[in-house]
Amino acid sequence: MEKSMPSKEHPGSESPDERDEASSSGIEDGSPDASEDLDETEDTEFDDLNEQLDQINSFMDDLEQKNDSLQAKLRQLLAMSREERLAAQTEQMTVAEGAVQQPEEKS
């Protein structure tokens, strides 16, 4: 099947692929509508990209908040664990000193 070439009488009759090829190769028909269409297309693409970036930014903010919360909980858990370990060590030392002192008191 042969591709029909757009006629000069019908400038908008080219296929979307042909329009993409023309716009990517820098070929324009010189009409003011063509540059307005490109501007609208570019604006739409930029708006879409901005929306996507806003969504990514929002997701990253949520992720950062969750990370900060987890980090704070882990620090709290670490501090509690450290306190319990020191308390257990102190208790063991007290029990050990008491066991050593009892035989000396009996003497």
Side-chain angles (χ1 to χ4, degrees):
M1 195 174 211
E2 246 181 73
K3 260 191 179 177
S4 63
M5 295 299 289
S7 67
K8 296 200 183 221
E9 292 99 32
H10 304 292
S13 65
E14 65 267 350
S15 72
D17 289 338
E18 290 169 335
R19 282 192 298 265
D20 288 344
E21 289 173 13
S23 65
S24 66
S25 65
I27 300 172
E28 292 186 18
D29 63 3
S31 68
D33 290 339
S35 64
E36 286 177 15
D37 287 344
L38 285 177
D39 289 342
E40 287 179 23
T41 302
E42 289 174 352
D43 288 344
T44 302
E45 289 176 2
F46 280 121
D47 289 342
D48 290 345
L49 286 174
N50 280 334
E51 186 177 327
Q52 289 175 355
L53 287 172
D54 288 343
Q55 289 174 351
I56 291 171
N57 193 28
S58 176
F59 175 77
M60 294 299 291
D61 288 342
D62 291 344
L63 191 60
E64 186 177 9
Q65 287 176 352
K66 288 178 184 178
N67 186 42
D68 291 345
S69 175
L70 282 174
Q71 188 177 22
K73 288 177 182 179
L74 284 171
R75 288 186 185 277
Q76 185 180 17
L77 180 62
L78 180 62
M80 286 177 19
S81 177
R82 186 178 294 139
E83 289 173 9
E84 289 177 6
R85 187 183 74 238
L86 290 174
Q89 286 176 347
T90 303
E91 186 178 322
Q92 285 178 352
M93 289 174 56
T94 304
V95 169
E97 288 175 2
V100 171
Q101 289 177 358
Q102 283 181 357
E104 292 177 5
E105 291 176 3
K106 291 182 181 180
S107 307

